Amino acid sequence: MFLIHKFNTFLCRAATMVPCQVPRWSTWIFRASPQWQRTACALGASMGQQRWLSLPWRVSGPLAFRGCSSTALGVPRVMPTSERYPVQRLPFSVVSEEDLAAFERIIPGRVITDPEELEVANVDWLRTIRGCSKVMLRPRTTEEVSRILRHCHQRNLAVNPQGGNTGMVGGSVPVFDEIILSTALMNQVISFHDVSGILVCQAGCVLEELNRYVQERGFIMPLDLGAKGSCHIGGNVATNAGGLRFLRYGSLRGTVLGLEVVLANGTVLDCLTSLRKDNTGYDLKQLFIGSEGTLGVITAVSILCPPMPKAVNVAFLGCPGFAEVLQAFSTCKGMLGEILSAFEFMDAECMQLVGQHLHLARPVQESPFYILVETSGSSAEHDSAKLDGFLEQALGSGLVTDGTVGTDHSKIQSLWALRERITEALSHDGYVFKYDISLPVERFYDLVMDLRGRLGLRAKHVVGYGHLGDGNLHLNVTAEAFSAALLDALEPYVYTWTAAQRGSVSAEHGLGFKKKDVLGYSKPPTAVQLMWQLKALLDPQGILNPYKMLPARA
Amino acid sequence: MFLIHKFNTFLCRAATMVPCQVPRWSTWIFRASPQWQRTACALGASMGQQRWLSLPWRVSGPLAFRGCSSTALGVPRVMPTSERYPVQRLPFSVVSEEDLAAFERIIPGRVITDPEELEVANVDWLRTIRGCSKVMLRPRTTEEVSRILRHCHQRNLAVNPQGGNTGMVGGSVPVFDEIILSTALMNQVISFHDVSGILVCQAGCVLEELNRYVQERGFIMPLDLGAKGSCHIGGNVATNAGGLRFLRYGSLRGTVLGLEVVLANGTVLDCLTSLRKDNTGYDLKQLFIGSEGTLGVITAVSILCPPMPKAVNVAFLGCPGFAEVLQAFSTCKGMLGEILSAFEFMDAECMQLVGQHLHLARPVQESPFYILVETSGSSAEHDSAKLDGFLEQALGSGLVTDGTVGTDHSKIQSLWALRERITEALSHDGYVFKYDISLPVERFYDLVMDLRGRLGLRAKHVVGYGHLGDGNLHLNVTAEAFSAALLDALEPYVYTWTAAQRGSVSAEHGLGFKKKDVLGYSKPPTAVQLMWQLKALLDPQGILNPYKMLPARA
Ligand SMILES: Cc1cc2nc3c(=O)[nH]c(=O)nc-3n(C[C@H](O)[C@H](O)[C@H](O)COP(=O)(O)OP(=O)(O)OC[C@H]3O[C@@H](n4cnc5c(N)ncnc54)[C@H](O)[C@@H]3O)c2cc1C
Ligand SMILES: Cc1cc2nc3c(=O)[nH]c(=O)nc-3n(C[C@H](O)[C@H](O)[C@H](O)COP(=O)(O)OP(=O)(O)OC[C@H]3O[C@@H](n4cnc5c(N)ncnc54)[C@H](O)[C@@H]3O)c2cc1C
């Protein structure tokens, strides 16, 4: 009784949690809850109180966003990568007029050389990395990608595959003048089977649009992430993205059933099957999942979508300490079992930052830690009973001190926003040093506290949040501006600390340009050597996404 | 009311379902239900009425079984592979006295040359394939495997990795005189983390023993199969085994977190991490999952075990037609959602064969088809309510005409035995032509009916059963003895039929020796070529499991 009453109170309180100001670049990173589908406009219309969504934001991809956030809004130019980092251009050819003419014959009208458009595609989402490519190509078909790569291979021209350009490690933008090969126009659904839930689509489909498409047919995408409004499914596969549904639906290595890939020399590798099981030979598609554009260009994806859950609940809870967060997780797993679909955590500084920069209000009492627990199941009644049982237990035993539960679309969405928009809030806080690591959960928060002590006032904020259910910590340090001294205090410290715990120095973001040289903290030399051998086998000239993922050779 | 009454009746009826005779080779393929763990003996003791289990069967692996089922019981010798199939020995060296002495130095006392022991290891489980190896090696450690392979690589000696020797495609036994490298003594658990459920163990651990081990700690293995009492986890990973929990826990590509592998030249590749997420570089372990011993020898496995479900229910139901089987599957997915853990099907002829050869009684009225539906969840009450809802609906709408439900260990086990022991029953029926294919579920049973017409009296039985929930059909044809004419009637017919549906000619069993030349029905030439390139990269001399998996080169 008490419990129900208490949680009803929270419900009322949270309903007043509305943002106070129009955030600059929020629309396409705003979360659609699994139960609902909508365009940003439709959502704005249905949620009058969330004013920012009624603005006519374009959500057509990163270009739209870039257009208004960098040059248009007068944000300072990003330092060229080749100036900030000690990196040498490799002896690739330089794009000539003849090359441009050849591309124009392959994809008439879709060879982009306009400096404004290129400006956007040369800079990464975090605005920390900048290339100087002079041309972006926008193929529509696999055949076009194949002809482009055949040409580049013959001419020894380097190529940077680009999806939604939301990558976190500088893999999606050129380092020098690599040709940008964008999948933006490869955005067609090829087929959907509404009994099995198997979706086959081109690589450039935007994740959120796919989710909407399959939701209309009773399914959801097996992955979800804050960048959903811009990132492409091809980019997700190329980075082996984890995200917010990983705990429930597992890795793309299990849910991706088939891929079509164009190899460096233009050969089309068709592994685009739609079978749940296929043990005929080596599973070649696995080579390309998570290969960050260095082994081939993914042109189409076949993926298994789970049925849309009939009931979704989200509980946002305050915890008095990190030990309690861990215990709450164990209790959750035991009591919620198969309906647990997310267990996310954030610390008090994260909450402060989403409040300060995005004006999202805290829905519960101030606490050192917050957790977000999501259930997705097939019976609203059973799921609520299980969740109530957990909440009663967690509250009764002091694991949780305050909380609020959302069962309807808008409430669920507001609660998720607090967690999903941390990346965005951080990017408003200054230069961000980002670490995305896997650690044994017991040691999860020690590194954050350790760094606070170590960095002292040199850092603006040191925050920890992430996918606790998967052992994946996002550790972020903000400062007024990039500082080599701060970087020295952070690295290799963070990596050796992680390696000492046998953790991973990149849990889900990949290595790209920024993390390629730290691979050795998580992989032994034999593994690195085998990586190089695979690279040499599939891309002997090294034209695909050079300077990325593979560390400099010893 | 009616429903409950009706199902209670079934419960009583099924309780009388006891086998009437001691089956020859059943103990180690008898199923442990997820909720229980036991040795074969402990089980016999706890289930007095199941008489065969009280016999002192040795369950220590395939050798024990082989010992009593082939030579010991006077079963006719299997024709040597090199005589039955048109295959030429490749120019590998022949094992010399010096080689034996070198092995003896590496693994003293574990170099097996005794003909009786070799007889067992030279013949496959199905007794259709026979090699003539003169030596079997039984290392205990990774270091020993490494030294053995280094020697074989230097001497150009071919090697056949062998786990439990339960493979279905002749991959586990030599074709000529390849050295058998057995993992039987590599059976140590390395670590288990009882919060995360991550198990790290040597490759030769028997699946059933691992399941027992983790069950004692509140978890289950993410895979289960009829061969569990003999097959090794290394063999499971090497074949990317699917099995009975695939529908719920997905593929080993998602649940295997790390592998340790010894490469052809003896190099140890340590990718034995225990992280749920690790995007540092190419996911090298994927190369070895499903590579059937052709790219490296798996020496240790790190695998994520799901928590043991608190409640398990099994319903065994009769369906009037295949259309109803499919509809029951759709209804099941919708109504049971996240608790559905298996949906298996078998036709009337399968039931007849398990009755005839294993004396298992049919627990429900005779029907053209039977389905086995399993639920696993965290609340007995919620799960029963969901299952009852489904049964009421399925019975009311005529999808199901009769059924029985098991909730206790022994009943669950008896029901599962009907499905799990079909492979065994078939092997008593004569020579078995086995096909393990993935098809769109709509076309699942057409091929079985088609073949019955096509083969007429030439076949003893044409049966269909399998993992319907995964689109995986086991199509089996039995005959008095191997017949080239029957084979001609079956192949390539079955493969072209499957290819026309864009199916897979090997869903879960792999290619091994028997299916390697049909790879082209499911993979395009570019993929086959890339497979060869990978093989050449990792095993340039081709000493690892030659004559297997890769088709003859064009
Ligand atoms: C707000 C925000 C939240 C995020 N949350 C998560 C999260 O929860 N989990 C997570 O894992 N990641 C997260 N990310 C990072 C994540 O890597 C990307 O969002 C996404 O997976 C990248 O997709 P993209 O289409 O934007 O690829 P891009 O950024 O364009 O490219 C990423 C890499 O993939 C390569 N690539 C892209 N497309 C192809 C292709 N078709 N073929 C071959 N290579 C290609 C590029 O060369 C590059 O190396 C987040 C990012 C943001 C901005
Ligand atoms: C009754 C029965 C039921 C079955 N049910 C299923 C089922 O439901 N689903 C399914 O997928 N399969 C099933 N199988 C077949 C399945 O492939 C095997 O049971 C199992 O996965 C093989 O394990 P094993 O240890 O016996 O390997 P083996 O048979 O010894 O070897 C199989 C292959 O793997 C290689 N190999 C073995 N160990 C290693 C290693 N350590 N390193 C490298 N290579 C190695 C061998 O060289 C060989 O190519 C069944 C078999 C039987 C007899």
Side-chain angles (χ1 to χ4, degrees):
Chain A
M1 269 308 127
F2 161 74
L3 182 81
I4 302 304
H5 172 72
K6 187 152 184 200
F7 273 84
N8 276 347
T9 322
F10 300 155
L11 268 158
C12 301
R13 179 146 30 104
T16 61
M17 187 188 83
V18 289
C20 312
Q21 198 189 300
V22 178
R24 235 178 355 128
W25 33 335
S26 67
T27 41
W28 81 105
I29 58 162
F30 203 75
R31 181 182 166 83
S33 92
Q35 275 184 302
W36 303 83
Q37 17 87 15
R38 43 145 183 78
T39 59
C41 295
L43 175 71
S46 72
M47 294 179 63
Q49 99 264 44
Q50 300 205 348
R51 276 164 295 144
W52 74 86
L53 288 166
S54 58
L55 283 185
W57 286 98
R58 283 169 59 206
V59 289
S60 53
L63 298 182
F65 148 57
R66 288 290 154 208
C68 62
S69 75
S70 58
T71 37
L73 295 185
V75 172
R77 267 177 78 91
V78 179
M79 195 171 173
T81 306
S82 55
E83 288 172 28
R84 176 168 291 163
Y85 294 87
V87 53
Q88 292 276 315
R89 188 179 182 284
L90 292 169
F92 298 110
S93 306
V94 173
V95 177
S96 65
E97 286 302 321
E98 290 74 35
D99 292 321
L100 293 179
F103 294 141
E104 191 59 41
R105 281 193 296 277
I106 302 172
I107 47 166
R110 286 171 282 134
V111 178
I112 316 296
T113 51
D114 169 60
E116 283 222 2
E117 287 195 68
L118 284 172
E119 158 77 15
V120 168
N122 266 312
V123 179
D124 75 324
W125 192 93
L126 289 169
R127 303 190 55 76
T128 55
I129 290 284
R130 165 190 232 94
C132 57
S133 179
K134 302 283 183 299
V135 57
M136 171 159 66
L137 306 178
R138 288 199 178 148
R140 282 210 184 94
T141 66
T142 304
E143 173 60 21
E144 288 172 354
V145 175
S146 165
R147 290 178 64 196
I148 290 168
L149 285 185
R150 210 177 310 142
H151 180 90
C152 294
H153 187 251
Q154 276 161 6
R155 281 272 300 126
N156 197 32
L157 288 165
V159 176
N160 186 127
Q162 189 175 82
N165 194 10
T166 66
M168 293 274 117
V169 287
S172 52
V173 293
V175 174
F176 295 96
D177 57 343
E178 300 89 273
I179 293 168
I180 299 170
L181 183 62
S182 162
T183 50
L185 301 182
M186 303 185 73
N187 57 4
Q188 301 297 305
V189 168
I190 298 169
S191 66
F192 184 73
H193 190 277
D194 53 16
V195 175
S196 63
I198 296 170
L199 171 76
V200 183
C201 65
Q202 282 191 301
C205 293
V206 170
L207 179 61
E208 189 170 43
E209 283 166 20
L210 290 177
N211 203 47
R212 190 179 312 136
Y213 179 92
V214 302
Q215 278 193 336
E216 282 162 11
R217 289 151 182 86
F219 292 82
I220 56 170
M221 291 301 285
L223 80 163
D224 185 21
L225 39 143
K228 67 164 95 34
S230 288
C231 65
H232 297 183
I233 188 73
N236 299 145
V237 173
T239 55
N240 187 29
L244 306 163
R245 291 179 183 159
F246 186 97
L247 182 69
R248 176 65 166 273
Y249 302 111
S251 145
L252 288 174
R253 299 197 176 274
T255 52
V256 170
L257 303 180
L259 289 183
E260 182 189 63
V261 179
V262 180
L263 303 180
N265 63 5
T267 303
V268 179
L269 180 68
D270 177 4
C271 297
L272 198 59
T273 50
S274 292
L275 303 163
R276 291 210 59 178
K277 284 172 161 180
D278 179 17
N279 273 350
T280 53
Y282 308 147
D283 190 3
L284 300 173
K285 69 170 182 285
Q286 298 291 343
L287 280 170
F288 304 96
I289 300 177
S291 68
E292 303 186 41
T294 61
L295 296 180
V297 176
I298 297 165
T299 48
V301 176
S302 164
I303 190 165
L304 183 68
C305 301
M308 183 154 68
K310 292 192 188 124
V312 176
N313 298 295
V314 168
F316 196 95
L317 311 166
C319 289
F322 195 70
E324 285 79 6
V325 170
L326 289 182
Q327 265 196 55
F329 178 48
S330 281
T331 312
C332 232
K333 283 205 293 184
M335 298 185 71
L336 300 180
E338 63 282 357
I339 63 165
L340 180 63
S341 54
F343 191 101
E344 299 285 319
F345 106 105
M346 59 198 275
D347 64 16
E349 292 203 32
C350 289
M351 184 62 88
Q352 185 204 318
L353 289 172
V354 293
Q356 178 183 337
H357 296 295
L358 307 177
H359 308 277
L360 301 184
R362 184 168 32 76
V364 297
Q365 283 164 25
E366 195 163 354
S367 310
F369 295 94
Y370 304 90
I371 58 177
L372 185 155
V373 176
E374 188 190 70
T375 68
S376 309
S378 57
S379 157
E381 190 194 327
H382 293 167
D383 295 4
S384 310
K386 288 189 180 100
L387 185 60
D388 285 351
F390 161 71
L391 292 171
E392 200 153 352
Q393 158 99 15
L395 214 57
S397 58
L399 299 182
V400 156
T401 45
D402 190 16
T404 175
V405 174
T407 51
D408 67 293
H409 170 213
S410 72
K411 177 79 185 291
I412 287 176
Q413 194 174 251
S414 326
L415 295 177
W416 262 114
L418 292 163
R419 162 64 188 85
E420 279 196 290
R421 298 182 68 193
I422 299 171
T423 315
E424 185 191 346
L426 283 160
S427 72
H428 289 270
D429 201 50
Y431 188 93
V432 192
F433 297 89
K434 284 192 107 61
Y435 303 95
D436 160 42
I437 57 193
S438 279
L439 284 177
V441 280
E442 308 86 65
R443 302 301 310 274
F444 218 64
Y445 204 66
D446 295 354
L447 180 56
V448 181
M449 293 190 301
D450 181 339
L451 277 184
R452 280 194 192 129
R454 183 178 167 87
L455 302 178
L457 292 176
R458 285 186 289 178
K460 247 177 111 174
H461 287 104
V462 179
V463 308
Y465 65 100
H467 316 294
L468 188 128
D470 320 322
N472 181 185
L473 171 72
H474 293 317
L475 164 71
N476 286 247
V477 177
T478 62
E480 288 305 345
F482 175 81
S483 138
L486 196 50
L487 187 62
D488 285 347
L490 282 163
E491 299 178 18
Y493 186 78
V494 170
Y495 302 123
T496 47
W497 200 100
T498 305
Q501 312 297 325
R502 304 210 62 186
S504 166
V505 292
S506 183
E508 58 174 17
H509 290 163
L511 299 169
F513 174 74
K514 288 197 202 163
K515 308 273 171 180
K516 70 181 164 45
D517 291 316
V518 301
L519 173 60
Y521 289 98
S522 291
K523 287 271 160 71
T526 8
V528 178
Q529 194 192 332
L530 185 49
M531 279 181 60
W532 269 115
Q533 289 174 303
L534 288 169
K535 172 75 177 172
L537 177 68
L538 282 155
D539 178 17
Q541 290 170 212
I543 60 168
L544 285 178
N545 231 4
Y547 324 105
K548 313 283 174 66
M549 202 174 190
L550 294 129
R553 280 201 236 211
Chain B
M1 275 304 132
F2 160 75
L3 184 80
I4 303 306
H5 172 73
K6 187 150 185 201
F7 274 85
N8 278 345
T9 321
F10 301 155
L11 269 157
C12 302
R13 179 143 34 101
T16 61
M17 188 187 81
V18 289
C20 311
Q21 197 188 302
V22 179
R24 235 179 354 130
W25 33 334
S26 66
T27 40
W28 81 104
I29 59 165
F30 204 75
R31 179 182 168 83
S33 92
Q35 274 182 301
W36 303 81
Q37 17 88 12
R38 42 148 183 76
T39 60
C41 295
L43 175 71
S46 71
M47 295 178 63
Q49 97 264 44
Q50 300 204 347
R51 274 163 296 143
W52 75 88
L53 289 166
S54 56
L55 284 185
W57 287 100
R58 284 166 59 204
V59 289
S60 54
L63 298 182
F65 149 55
R66 288 291 156 210
C68 62
S69 77
S70 57
T71 37
L73 295 183
V75 172
R77 268 176 77 88
V78 178
M79 196 171 172
T81 306
S82 55
E83 289 173 27
R84 177 169 290 163
Y85 294 88
V87 54
Q88 292 274 317
R89 189 180 182 283
L90 292 169
F92 297 111
S93 306
V94 173
V95 178
S96 66
E97 287 303 320
E98 290 73 35
D99 293 320
L100 292 180
F103 294 141
E104 191 58 43
R105 282 193 295 277
I106 302 172
I107 48 167
R110 287 172 281 132
V111 178
I112 315 296
T113 51
D114 169 58
E116 282 221 5
E117 285 196 69
L118 285 171
E119 159 78 13
V120 167
N122 267 311
V123 178
D124 74 324
W125 191 93
L126 289 170
R127 303 190 55 73
T128 55
I129 291 284
R130 164 189 231 93
C132 56
S133 178
K134 301 283 183 295
V135 59
M136 172 159 65
L137 306 177
R138 288 199 179 147
R140 281 209 185 95
T141 66
T142 303
E143 173 60 20
E144 289 172 353
V145 174
S146 166
R147 291 178 61 198
I148 289 169
L149 285 184
R150 211 177 308 139
H151 179 89
C152 294
H153 187 250
Q154 275 160 7
R155 282 273 299 126
N156 197 33
L157 288 164
V159 177
N160 185 126
Q162 187 175 82
N165 194 9
T166 66
M168 293 274 118
V169 287
S172 52
V173 293
V175 174
F176 295 97
D177 57 343
E178 300 90 274
I179 293 169
I180 300 170
L181 182 64
S182 163
T183 51
L185 301 183
M186 302 186 73
N187 56 4
Q188 301 298 306
V189 168
I190 298 168
S191 67
F192 184 72
H193 190 276
D194 52 16
V195 174
S196 63
I198 296 170
L199 170 76
V200 183
C201 65
Q202 283 191 299
C205 293
V206 171
L207 179 60
E208 190 171 42
E209 284 166 18
L210 290 177
N211 203 48
R212 191 179 313 134
Y213 179 92
V214 301
Q215 277 192 338
E216 282 162 10
R217 289 150 182 88
F219 291 82
I220 57 171
M221 292 299 287
L223 80 161
D224 185 21
L225 40 142
K228 66 164 93 37
S230 289
C231 65
H232 297 184
I233 189 72
N236 299 146
V237 173
T239 56
N240 187 29
L244 305 162
R245 290 180 185 159
F246 186 98
L247 181 69
R248 175 66 165 272
Y249 302 110
S251 147
L252 289 173
R253 300 199 174 274
T255 52
V256 170
L257 303 180
L259 289 183
E260 181 189 63
V261 179
V262 180
L263 302 181
N265 63 5
T267 304
V268 179
L269 181 68
D270 177 3
C271 297
L272 197 59
T273 50
S274 292
L275 303 162
R276 292 210 58 179
K277 283 173 161 181
D278 178 18
N279 275 349
T280 52
Y282 308 147
D283 189 3
L284 300 173
K285 68 170 184 284
Q286 297 292 343
L287 279 170
F288 304 96
I289 301 178
S291 68
E292 303 185 40
T294 62
L295 296 180
V297 176
I298 297 164
T299 48
V301 176
S302 164
I303 189 165
L304 182 68
C305 300
M308 183 154 66
K310 293 190 188 126
V312 176
N313 298 295
V314 169
F316 196 94
L317 311 167
C319 290
F322 195 71
E324 285 80 6
V325 170
L326 290 182
Q327 264 196 57
F329 179 48
S330 283
T331 311
C332 232
K333 283 205 293 186
M335 298 184 72
L336 300 180
E338 62 282 358
I339 63 165
L340 181 63
S341 54
F343 192 101
E344 298 285 318
F345 106 106
M346 58 197 277
D347 63 16
E349 292 201 32
C350 290
M351 185 61 89
Q352 187 205 317
L353 290 172
V354 292
Q356 180 184 338
H357 296 295
L358 307 176
H359 308 279
L360 301 183
R362 185 169 28 77
V364 296
Q365 281 164 25
E366 194 163 351
S367 309
F369 295 95
Y370 304 91
I371 57 178
L372 185 155
V373 176
E374 188 189 69
T375 67
S376 309
S378 57
S379 157
E381 189 195 327
H382 293 167
D383 294 4
S384 307
K386 287 188 181 100
L387 184 60
D388 286 352
F390 161 70
L391 292 171
E392 200 154 351
Q393 159 100 13
L395 214 57
S397 58
L399 298 181
V400 157
T401 44
D402 190 14
T404 176
V405 174
T407 50
D408 67 294
H409 169 215
S410 73
K411 177 77 186 290
I412 286 177
Q413 193 173 250
S414 328
L415 295 177
W416 262 114
L418 292 163
R419 162 64 189 84
E420 279 196 286
R421 297 182 69 194
I422 300 172
T423 315
E424 186 191 345
L426 282 161
S427 72
H428 289 271
D429 202 50
Y431 188 94
V432 193
F433 297 90
K434 286 191 105 64
Y435 302 95
D436 160 42
I437 56 192
S438 280
L439 284 177
V441 279
E442 307 85 68
R443 301 301 311 274
F444 217 63
Y445 205 66
D446 296 353
L447 179 56
V448 181
M449 293 193 299
D450 182 338
L451 277 185
R452 279 193 191 131
R454 184 177 165 88
L455 302 177
L457 293 175
R458 284 185 288 179
K460 248 175 111 175
H461 287 104
V462 179
V463 308
Y465 64 101
H467 316 295
L468 188 129
D470 320 321
N472 181 183
L473 172 71
H474 294 318
L475 165 70
N476 286 246
V477 177
T478 62
E480 287 307 343
F482 174 80
S483 139
L486 195 50
L487 186 63
D488 285 347
L490 282 163
E491 296 177 20
Y493 186 79
V494 170
Y495 301 123
T496 47
W497 201 100
T498 305
Q501 312 298 325
R502 304 210 64 187
S504 165
V505 294
S506 183
E508 59 174 15
H509 290 163
L511 298 169
F513 174 74
K514 288 197 201 162
K515 308 274 172 177
K516 71 179 163 44
D517 290 317
V518 302
L519 173 60
Y521 289 97
S522 291
K523 287 270 160 74
T526 8
V528 177
Q529 195 193 331
L530 184 49
M531 279 180 61
W532 269 115
Q533 289 174 304
L534 290 168
K535 172 74 177 171
L537 176 68
L538 282 154
D539 178 17
Q541 291 169 212
I543 61 167
L544 284 179
N545 230 2
Y547 325 106
K548 312 282 173 66
M549 203 176 189
L550 293 129
R553 280 204 236 211

